[in-house]
Amino acid sequence: MKPVRANRAVRAPGGLSVRLDVRALTVVVLLLLAALAASVVLIGTGDFPISAGDVLRTLVGDGNAGQEFIVNELRLPRVLVGLLVGAALGLGGALFQALSRNPLGSPDILGLGQGATAGALMMIVLFSGDAGQVTVGALVGGLATGLAIYLLAWKRGVHGYRLVLVGIGMSAIMMAVNGYLLTKADLVDAARAVVWMTGSLSGRDWAQVWPLLGLCAVLVPLVLANARGLRMMEMGDDVSYALGVRVERVRLLLMLSAVLLTAAATAAAGPVSFVALTAPQLARRLTRSPGPNLLPSLCMGAALLVSADWISQRVFGADQLPVGVVTGVLGGVYLLWLLVTERKAGRI
């Protein structure tokens, strides 16, 4: 007999009833604790190690002057950028996979990361832009690519199959554009571009934290408020229309939110690979719940990225790898494991 899921209905004043998935809530809490614990350990990691207790005391204002400078000015902004970028990629990936109804429908596959990279490369190669201009270029490039994908996939609505196919084609085009731009760059700009294209949290400060935090503060509640409509859309557009969901309006709003989250994350840390693809799938395996799993995916993305950054600093020592290399390796291992398990189960 199939086990019954532990669901509870919470009734609020006014007759409003909310269905509560206990397992999903437990997973969210555990992922948040894991992300926070990894963040504290990461803040204490570096050339001047600081214990977890001293990190916590410093964060509440009880550290000495040296600890406060190292923690609050050097390491905390990097960790916060990692948490926000991971959360944005995890949520954006969950939205794209739900909208396309395809587990491969993530920003990595659909070309949004390549589009943001093209915008950043144009600023580096053609205009020798500074860090702020590169960030703006990446954001504009990601938004323009997302708009192009939406318009090209439109035919009396946007459907998952067309969205994935158009996204794959756009990804190939953007990769060709990026390769061309690299051939036109001088040695210094090319080296700078390659470092940015890898995806890294090195050198991140409060200038990257506040814009990303503000964007997430607006978009995350907006996306979660439309989670019910998104879940109904997974049953098909006709059923969703019958249940009163304004399908194209919700789809456009959520797709725009996913594009903004992905573009902003890429602008802040470069095209960090595989987080948007694997975080929603790992979250779904933990919750064992159907639907988009938006909040678990957000928490999983944050935990994955700060953990990968800790691995890049601790495992490789002085030869620290950019976090994008670590997430690429971890994501590749996960996909290989998934293929092996699916083949053993006879599903492929």
Side-chain angles (χ1 to χ4, degrees), residues 144-192:
T145 304
L147 177 61
I149 292 172
Y150 185 85
L151 293 177
L152 291 172
W154 175 271
K155 185 180 180 181
R156 294 189 298 274
V158 175
H159 300 282
Y161 186 70
R162 287 201 303 271
L163 183 67
V164 172
L165 288 179
V166 171
I168 291 173
M170 186 61 66
S171 176
I173 293 172
M174 290 295 102
M175 289 178 65
V177 171
N178 294 339
Y180 172 77
L181 289 173
L182 284 176
T183 64
K184 294 298 180 181
D186 59 35
L187 185 59
V188 174
D189 286 340
R192 180 184 170 200

Short mmCIF file of all heavy atoms in Angstrom, two decimals, residues 144-192:
data_model
loop_
_atom_site.label_atom_id
_atom_site.label_comp_id
_atom_site.label_asym_id
_atom_site.label_seq_id
_atom_site.Cartn_x
_atom_site.Cartn_y
_atom_site.Cartn_z
N ALA A 144 17.42 40.65 -22.30
CA ALA A 144 17.18 40.65 -23.74
C ALA A 144 17.04 39.22 -24.27
O ALA A 144 16.18 38.94 -25.12
CB ALA A 144 18.32 41.38 -24.46
N THR A 145 17.86 38.31 -23.78
CA THR A 145 17.77 36.92 -24.21
C THR A 145 16.45 36.29 -23.77
O THR A 145 15.80 35.57 -24.54
CB THR A 145 18.95 36.11 -23.64
OG1 THR A 145 20.18 36.72 -24.04
CG2 THR A 145 18.91 34.68 -24.15
N GLY A 146 16.05 36.56 -22.54
CA GLY A 146 14.78 36.03 -22.06
C GLY A 146 13.60 36.55 -22.87
O GLY A 146 12.67 35.80 -23.21
N LEU A 147 13.63 37.84 -23.23
CA LEU A 147 12.56 38.42 -24.04
C LEU A 147 12.54 37.78 -25.43
O LEU A 147 11.46 37.46 -25.97
CB LEU A 147 12.76 39.94 -24.15
CG LEU A 147 11.75 40.69 -25.03
CD1 LEU A 147 10.34 40.53 -24.47
CD2 LEU A 147 12.12 42.17 -25.13
N ALA A 148 13.72 37.58 -26.01
CA ALA A 148 13.78 36.97 -27.33
C ALA A 148 13.24 35.54 -27.31
O ALA A 148 12.50 35.12 -28.22
CB ALA A 148 15.23 36.98 -27.83
N ILE A 149 13.58 34.78 -26.28
CA ILE A 149 13.09 33.40 -26.17
C ILE A 149 11.57 33.40 -26.06
O ILE A 149 10.87 32.60 -26.71
CB ILE A 149 13.73 32.70 -24.96
CG1 ILE A 149 15.23 32.49 -25.21
CG2 ILE A 149 13.06 31.36 -24.69
CD1 ILE A 149 15.97 31.98 -23.99
N TYR A 150 11.02 34.29 -25.25
CA TYR A 150 9.57 34.34 -25.06
C TYR A 150 8.86 34.69 -26.36
O TYR A 150 7.86 34.05 -26.73
CB TYR A 150 9.23 35.36 -23.97
CG TYR A 150 7.76 35.41 -23.61
CD1 TYR A 150 7.23 34.52 -22.68
CD2 TYR A 150 6.91 36.32 -24.22
CE1 TYR A 150 5.88 34.55 -22.36
CE2 TYR A 150 5.56 36.36 -23.90
CZ TYR A 150 5.06 35.47 -22.97
OH TYR A 150 3.72 35.50 -22.66
N LEU A 151 9.36 35.69 -27.09
CA LEU A 151 8.71 36.11 -28.33
C LEU A 151 8.81 35.03 -29.40
O LEU A 151 7.85 34.78 -30.15
CB LEU A 151 9.33 37.42 -28.82
CG LEU A 151 9.09 38.65 -27.93
CD1 LEU A 151 9.83 39.86 -28.49
CD2 LEU A 151 7.60 38.94 -27.80
N LEU A 152 9.97 34.39 -29.50
CA LEU A 152 10.13 33.35 -30.51
C LEU A 152 9.32 32.09 -30.19
O LEU A 152 8.91 31.36 -31.10
CB LEU A 152 11.62 32.98 -30.65
CG LEU A 152 12.52 34.05 -31.27
CD1 LEU A 152 13.98 33.65 -31.17
CD2 LEU A 152 12.13 34.32 -32.72
N ALA A 153 9.09 31.84 -28.90
CA ALA A 153 8.32 30.67 -28.51
C ALA A 153 6.82 30.92 -28.50
O ALA A 153 6.03 29.99 -28.31
CB ALA A 153 8.76 30.19 -27.12
N TRP A 154 6.40 32.17 -28.73
CA TRP A 154 4.98 32.52 -28.66
C TRP A 154 4.25 32.07 -29.92
O TRP A 154 4.64 32.37 -31.04
CB TRP A 154 4.82 34.02 -28.48
CG TRP A 154 3.37 34.44 -28.53
CD1 TRP A 154 2.65 34.80 -29.62
CD2 TRP A 154 2.49 34.55 -27.42
NE1 TRP A 154 1.37 35.11 -29.27
CE2 TRP A 154 1.23 34.97 -27.92
CE3 TRP A 154 2.63 34.33 -26.04
CZ2 TRP A 154 0.14 35.18 -27.10
CZ3 TRP A 154 1.54 34.55 -25.22
CH2 TRP A 154 0.31 34.97 -25.75
N LYS A 155 3.18 31.34 -29.72
CA LYS A 155 2.25 30.99 -30.79
C LYS A 155 0.93 30.62 -30.13
O LYS A 155 0.72 29.50 -29.71
CB LYS A 155 2.77 29.82 -31.63
CG LYS A 155 1.88 29.50 -32.83
CD LYS A 155 2.43 28.33 -33.63
CE LYS A 155 1.52 28.03 -34.82
NZ LYS A 155 2.02 26.87 -35.60
N ARG A 156 0.05 31.63 -30.01
CA ARG A 156 -1.19 31.48 -29.25
C ARG A 156 -0.88 30.96 -27.84
O ARG A 156 -1.54 30.07 -27.32
CB ARG A 156 -2.17 30.55 -29.98
CG ARG A 156 -2.66 31.09 -31.30
CD ARG A 156 -3.79 30.25 -31.86
NE ARG A 156 -3.36 28.88 -32.13
CZ ARG A 156 -2.77 28.51 -33.28
NH1 ARG A 156 -2.56 29.41 -34.25
NH2 ARG A 156 -2.41 27.25 -33.47
N GLY A 157 0.16 31.54 -27.26
CA GLY A 157 0.62 31.12 -25.95
C GLY A 157 2.01 30.52 -26.01
O GLY A 157 2.53 30.24 -27.10
N VAL A 158 2.62 30.36 -24.86
CA VAL A 158 3.96 29.76 -24.76
C VAL A 158 3.82 28.39 -24.12
O VAL A 158 3.30 28.25 -23.01
CB VAL A 158 4.91 30.65 -23.93
CG1 VAL A 158 6.25 29.95 -23.75
CG2 VAL A 158 5.10 31.99 -24.60
N HIS A 159 4.26 27.36 -24.82
CA HIS A 159 4.17 26.00 -24.32
C HIS A 159 5.57 25.44 -24.09
O HIS A 159 6.55 25.86 -24.73
CB HIS A 159 3.38 25.12 -25.28
CG HIS A 159 1.97 25.60 -25.49
ND1 HIS A 159 0.98 25.38 -24.57
CD2 HIS A 159 1.40 26.30 -26.50
CE1 HIS A 159 -0.15 25.91 -25.00
NE2 HIS A 159 0.07 26.49 -26.18
N GLY A 160 5.65 24.48 -23.17
CA GLY A 160 6.95 24.00 -22.70
C GLY A 160 7.84 23.45 -23.79
O GLY A 160 9.04 23.73 -23.82
N TYR A 161 7.28 22.68 -24.71
CA TYR A 161 8.10 22.05 -25.74
C TYR A 161 8.77 23.10 -26.62
O TYR A 161 9.98 23.03 -26.88
CB TYR A 161 7.22 21.12 -26.59
CG TYR A 161 7.97 20.30 -27.61
CD1 TYR A 161 8.81 19.27 -27.21
CD2 TYR A 161 7.85 20.57 -28.97
CE1 TYR A 161 9.51 18.51 -28.15
CE2 TYR A 161 8.53 19.82 -29.91
CZ TYR A 161 9.35 18.80 -29.49
OH TYR A 161 10.05 18.06 -30.41
N ARG A 162 7.99 24.09 -27.07
CA ARG A 162 8.57 25.15 -27.90
C ARG A 162 9.57 25.98 -27.10
O ARG A 162 10.61 26.40 -27.63
CB ARG A 162 7.47 26.06 -28.45
CG ARG A 162 6.63 25.44 -29.54
CD ARG A 162 5.94 26.53 -30.37
NE ARG A 162 5.11 27.40 -29.55
CZ ARG A 162 3.83 27.17 -29.27
NH1 ARG A 162 3.25 26.07 -29.73
NH2 ARG A 162 3.15 28.00 -28.53
N LEU A 163 9.27 26.22 -25.83
CA LEU A 163 10.16 27.01 -25.00
C LEU A 163 11.54 26.37 -24.89
O LEU A 163 12.57 27.05 -25.03
CB LEU A 163 9.55 27.19 -23.61
CG LEU A 163 10.32 28.06 -22.62
CD1 LEU A 163 10.34 29.51 -23.09
CD2 LEU A 163 9.72 27.96 -21.23
N VAL A 164 11.58 25.06 -24.67
CA VAL A 164 12.86 24.36 -24.55
C VAL A 164 13.61 24.37 -25.87
O VAL A 164 14.82 24.63 -25.91
CB VAL A 164 12.63 22.93 -24.04
CG1 VAL A 164 13.93 22.13 -24.08
CG2 VAL A 164 12.08 22.94 -22.62
N LEU A 165 12.92 24.09 -26.97
CA LEU A 165 13.58 24.06 -28.28
C LEU A 165 14.15 25.44 -28.64
O LEU A 165 15.29 25.55 -29.11
CB LEU A 165 12.60 23.59 -29.35
CG LEU A 165 12.24 22.10 -29.33
CD1 LEU A 165 11.25 21.80 -30.44
CD2 LEU A 165 13.47 21.24 -29.47
N VAL A 166 13.34 26.48 -28.45
CA VAL A 166 13.83 27.83 -28.76
C VAL A 166 14.99 28.19 -27.84
O VAL A 166 15.99 28.80 -28.27
CB VAL A 166 12.69 28.85 -28.61
CG1 VAL A 166 13.22 30.28 -28.71
CG2 VAL A 166 11.63 28.63 -29.69
N GLY A 167 14.90 27.81 -26.57
CA GLY A 167 15.98 28.11 -25.63
C GLY A 167 17.28 27.42 -26.00
O GLY A 167 18.36 28.03 -25.90
N ILE A 168 17.20 26.17 -26.44
CA ILE A 168 18.41 25.46 -26.86
C ILE A 168 19.03 26.15 -28.07
O ILE A 168 20.26 26.32 -28.15
CB ILE A 168 18.08 23.98 -27.17
CG1 ILE A 168 17.72 23.25 -25.87
CG2 ILE A 168 19.26 23.29 -27.85
CD1 ILE A 168 17.23 21.84 -26.07
N GLY A 169 18.19 26.55 -29.02
CA GLY A 169 18.71 27.27 -30.18
C GLY A 169 19.34 28.59 -29.80
O GLY A 169 20.41 28.97 -30.30
N MET A 170 18.69 29.33 -28.90
CA MET A 170 19.24 30.61 -28.45
C MET A 170 20.55 30.41 -27.71
O MET A 170 21.48 31.22 -27.83
CB MET A 170 18.22 31.31 -27.56
CG MET A 170 18.61 32.72 -27.14
SD MET A 170 18.80 33.84 -28.54
CE MET A 170 17.10 33.91 -29.12
N SER A 171 20.64 29.33 -26.94
CA SER A 171 21.88 29.03 -26.22
C SER A 171 23.03 28.82 -27.21
O SER A 171 24.14 29.33 -27.00
CB SER A 171 21.70 27.79 -25.36
OG SER A 171 22.90 27.43 -24.71
N ALA A 172 22.77 28.08 -28.29
CA ALA A 172 23.81 27.85 -29.30
C ALA A 172 24.24 29.16 -29.95
O ALA A 172 25.44 29.39 -30.18
CB ALA A 172 23.31 26.87 -30.35
N ILE A 173 23.29 30.04 -30.24
CA ILE A 173 23.61 31.33 -30.86
C ILE A 173 24.47 32.17 -29.92
O ILE A 173 25.48 32.76 -30.32
CB ILE A 173 22.33 32.07 -31.24
CG1 ILE A 173 21.60 31.32 -32.36
CG2 ILE A 173 22.64 33.50 -31.68
CD1 ILE A 173 20.23 31.89 -32.67
N MET A 174 24.07 32.23 -28.65
CA MET A 174 24.81 33.04 -27.69
C MET A 174 26.22 32.50 -27.45
O MET A 174 27.18 33.26 -27.26
CB MET A 174 24.05 33.12 -26.37
CG MET A 174 22.77 33.94 -26.42
SD MET A 174 23.08 35.70 -26.76
CE MET A 174 22.67 35.79 -28.50
N MET A 175 26.36 31.17 -27.46
CA MET A 175 27.69 30.59 -27.31
C MET A 175 28.58 30.98 -28.49
O MET A 175 29.78 31.27 -28.31
CB MET A 175 27.59 29.07 -27.20
CG MET A 175 27.01 28.58 -25.88
SD MET A 175 26.85 26.78 -25.80
CE MET A 175 28.58 26.31 -25.87
N ALA A 176 28.02 31.01 -29.69
CA ALA A 176 28.80 31.44 -30.85
C ALA A 176 29.18 32.91 -30.74
O ALA A 176 30.32 33.30 -31.06
CB ALA A 176 28.00 31.19 -32.13
N VAL A 177 28.25 33.74 -30.28
CA VAL A 177 28.56 35.17 -30.09
C VAL A 177 29.66 35.34 -29.05
O VAL A 177 30.60 36.14 -29.25
CB VAL A 177 27.28 35.92 -29.66
CG1 VAL A 177 27.62 37.34 -29.23
CG2 VAL A 177 26.27 35.95 -30.80
N ASN A 178 29.59 34.59 -27.96
CA ASN A 178 30.61 34.71 -26.92
C ASN A 178 31.98 34.27 -27.44
O ASN A 178 33.00 34.90 -27.13
CB ASN A 178 30.22 33.85 -25.72
CG ASN A 178 28.97 34.37 -25.03
OD1 ASN A 178 28.60 35.53 -25.18
ND2 ASN A 178 28.29 33.51 -24.29
N GLY A 179 32.01 33.19 -28.23
CA GLY A 179 33.28 32.77 -28.81
C GLY A 179 33.86 33.82 -29.74
O GLY A 179 35.08 34.06 -29.74
N TYR A 180 33.00 34.45 -30.53
CA TYR A 180 33.47 35.51 -31.43
C TYR A 180 34.04 36.69 -30.65
O TYR A 180 35.10 37.23 -31.00
CB TYR A 180 32.31 35.96 -32.31
CG TYR A 180 32.64 37.18 -33.15
CD1 TYR A 180 33.42 37.07 -34.29
CD2 TYR A 180 32.17 38.44 -32.78
CE1 TYR A 180 33.74 38.18 -35.06
CE2 TYR A 180 32.48 39.56 -33.53
CZ TYR A 180 33.27 39.42 -34.67
OH TYR A 180 33.57 40.54 -35.41
N LEU A 181 33.34 37.09 -29.58
CA LEU A 181 33.82 38.22 -28.78
C LEU A 181 35.18 37.92 -28.15
O LEU A 181 36.05 38.80 -28.07
CB LEU A 181 32.80 38.56 -27.70
CG LEU A 181 31.49 39.19 -28.19
CD1 LEU A 181 30.49 39.32 -27.05
CD2 LEU A 181 31.76 40.58 -28.79
N LEU A 182 35.37 36.68 -27.72
CA LEU A 182 36.67 36.32 -27.13
C LEU A 182 37.80 36.40 -28.15
O LEU A 182 38.92 36.78 -27.82
CB LEU A 182 36.60 34.92 -26.53
CG LEU A 182 35.87 34.77 -25.18
CD1 LEU A 182 35.80 33.31 -24.76
CD2 LEU A 182 36.55 35.61 -24.11
N THR A 183 37.50 36.05 -29.39
CA THR A 183 38.55 36.13 -30.42
C THR A 183 38.93 37.57 -30.73
O THR A 183 40.03 37.82 -31.24
CB THR A 183 38.09 35.44 -31.72
OG1 THR A 183 36.96 36.14 -32.27
CG2 THR A 183 37.74 33.99 -31.46
N LYS A 184 38.05 38.52 -30.44
CA LYS A 184 38.31 39.93 -30.72
C LYS A 184 38.95 40.66 -29.54
O LYS A 184 39.32 41.83 -29.66
CB LYS A 184 37.01 40.64 -31.11
CG LYS A 184 36.43 40.16 -32.44
CD LYS A 184 37.38 40.44 -33.59
CE LYS A 184 36.83 39.98 -34.92
NZ LYS A 184 37.78 40.22 -36.04
N ALA A 185 39.07 39.99 -28.41
CA ALA A 185 39.62 40.64 -27.22
C ALA A 185 41.13 40.56 -27.19
O ALA A 185 41.73 39.62 -27.73
CB ALA A 185 39.04 39.98 -25.97
N ASP A 186 41.76 41.58 -26.58
CA ASP A 186 43.20 41.48 -26.37
C ASP A 186 43.46 40.53 -25.20
O ASP A 186 42.54 40.04 -24.55
CB ASP A 186 43.82 42.85 -26.11
CG ASP A 186 43.22 43.56 -24.90
OD1 ASP A 186 42.87 42.89 -23.92
OD2 ASP A 186 43.08 44.80 -24.96
N LEU A 187 44.74 40.26 -24.92
CA LEU A 187 45.09 39.21 -23.95
C LEU A 187 44.55 39.52 -22.56
O LEU A 187 43.99 38.64 -21.89
CB LEU A 187 46.61 39.05 -23.91
CG LEU A 187 47.13 37.90 -23.04
CD1 LEU A 187 46.57 36.57 -23.54
CD2 LEU A 187 48.66 37.87 -23.04
N VAL A 188 44.68 40.77 -22.13
CA VAL A 188 44.24 41.13 -20.77
C VAL A 188 42.73 41.00 -20.64
O VAL A 188 42.21 40.40 -19.70
CB VAL A 188 44.71 42.56 -20.43
CG1 VAL A 188 44.13 42.98 -19.08
CG2 VAL A 188 46.23 42.63 -20.40
N ASP A 189 42.00 41.56 -21.61
CA ASP A 189 40.54 41.49 -21.56
C ASP A 189 40.05 40.05 -21.71
O ASP A 189 39.05 39.66 -21.08
CB ASP A 189 39.93 42.37 -22.66
CG ASP A 189 40.03 43.85 -22.35
OD1 ASP A 189 40.21 44.18 -21.16
OD2 ASP A 189 39.94 44.66 -23.28
N ALA A 190 40.72 39.25 -22.53
CA ALA A 190 40.31 37.86 -22.70
C ALA A 190 40.48 37.08 -21.40
O ALA A 190 39.60 36.28 -21.01
CB ALA A 190 41.12 37.20 -23.81
N ALA A 191 41.61 37.30 -20.71
CA ALA A 191 41.83 36.62 -19.43
C ALA A 191 40.78 37.05 -18.40
O ALA A 191 40.24 36.23 -17.66
CB ALA A 191 43.23 36.93 -18.91
N ARG A 192 40.48 38.34 -18.38
CA ARG A 192 39.46 38.85 -17.46
C ARG A 192 38.09 38.26 -17.78
O ARG A 192 37.32 37.89 -16.89
CB ARG A 192 39.42 40.38 -17.57
CG ARG A 192 38.41 41.07 -16.68
CD ARG A 192 38.42 42.56 -16.96
NE ARG A 192 37.33 43.24 -16.30
CZ ARG A 192 36.88 44.42 -16.65
NH1 ARG A 192 37.43 45.06 -17.68
NH2 ARG A 192 35.88 44.99 -16.01
#
